[in-house]
Amino acid sequence: MSRKSKYSFEQKKWVVEQYLNGNMSASKIAIRLNMPKNGSRQIRSWARQYQSNQNAFLRSVKYNAHYSKELKEGVVQEYLAGKISLSSLANKYGIRSYSTVRKWVSKYNSHIKNQDYNPHPEVYMTKARRKTTQQERIQIVQYCLNHDKNYSEAAARFSCSYQQVYSWAQKYLANGEEGLTDNRGRHKQPQELTELELANRRMKELERKLKEKQEKNEFLKKLDQLERMCLPNSQNTDRLQ
């Protein structure tokens, strides 16, 4: 999913240079940039990252990074060996936040397998809705469900939008294959409606008839006015008398 950094690359680089060169303290820099209360801690974190991997940690990224399953497992094992901290591991491997490493470790300890992560940002941005048949929708949903409900991966694989895949999956889980039938433009038969839907349909029909009657009365009224205007003056005078 798209992610925009609050601070530009130029700002981060200036902050790190000012801090590491001793020109300004972290607290003064935070005040100057109008940063929140934890601004000083953020600045020191940027400085550590810069010292470990230099500009790689300061570049703004448009999308979430792609971390392979092998990298995750290697980082977790290195942490469990007890020789390096979470933040040091994040700096060492170019991971933007130590909380990401902590999450991987937590999953490992809970016996949850860390998977490859590829965000497929294009599926979140596309607004076009690809036309599909019911069989195609069933195939897409089944693929999604068989891959741990990875909506973005299914969307990328079948050239759909994330929203389409998510909507189809929810309909399938609620109503099975029938939920993926395209009913757009189809008028339900009375026996297919619930009591509430029947009541709403009757209400709309009464509203339609009332509107027709009002329009008809308005038309007759205007017609009568027009006829009066077209009558000779003498007849109009007689009517007035």
Side-chain angles (χ1 to χ4, degrees), residues 94-238:
I95 301 163
R96 291 179 60 83
S97 173
Y98 73 88
S99 62
T100 301
V101 180
R102 183 170 58 192
K103 182 171 66 176
W104 296 346
V105 174
S106 177
K107 280 188 173 182
Y108 180 88
N109 289 334
S110 301
H111 305 287
I112 300 174
K113 188 176 181 181
N114 283 306
Q115 302 290 339
D116 284 330
Y117 176 60
N118 190 343
H120 300 295
E122 68 280 0
V123 304
Y124 298 97
M125 300 179 67
T126 180
K127 294 182 179 179
R129 298 179 66 83
R130 184 168 79 84
K131 291 184 178 180
T132 56
T133 65
Q134 184 182 21
Q135 287 303 314
E136 286 179 311
R137 292 190 288 275
I138 292 172
Q139 180 186 5
I140 293 169
V141 168
Q142 289 179 343
Y143 177 89
C144 177
L145 297 179
N146 290 335
H147 289 78
D148 299 322
K149 295 184 180 179
N150 193 327
Y151 304 110
S152 59
E153 181 183 344
R157 182 180 181 87
F158 294 96
S159 301
C160 300
S161 70
Y162 180 96
Q163 291 79 7
Q164 280 182 300
V165 177
Y166 180 83
S167 175
W168 293 336
Q170 299 309 304
K171 291 177 180 178
Y172 181 88
L173 291 171
N175 300 302
E177 294 184 1
E178 290 184 4
L180 299 178
T181 303
D182 189 351
N183 291 318
R184 289 176 296 179
R186 177 179 175 271
H187 193 67
K188 286 185 177 181
Q189 297 301 314
Q191 60 271 19
E192 298 178 291
L193 299 174
T194 64
E195 291 185 5
L196 180 59
E197 289 173 331
L198 282 170
N200 288 334
R201 180 175 288 187
R202 293 192 196 100
M203 183 68 71
K204 288 181 181 179
E205 181 65 17
L206 289 173
E207 290 175 352
R208 183 186 64 79
K209 289 182 178 180
L210 179 60
K211 185 177 180 180
E212 287 181 355
K213 186 176 181 179
Q214 290 173 339
E215 290 175 348
K216 182 178 180 180
N217 290 338
E218 188 67 23
F219 171 76
L220 292 174
K221 183 179 178 180
K222 289 183 179 180
L223 181 62
D224 183 62
Q225 291 174 346
L226 183 62
E227 289 176 347
R228 287 173 180 271
M229 292 175 61
C230 293
L231 286 173
N233 291 334
S234 59
Q235 292 186 23
N236 282 333
T237 303
D238 293 340

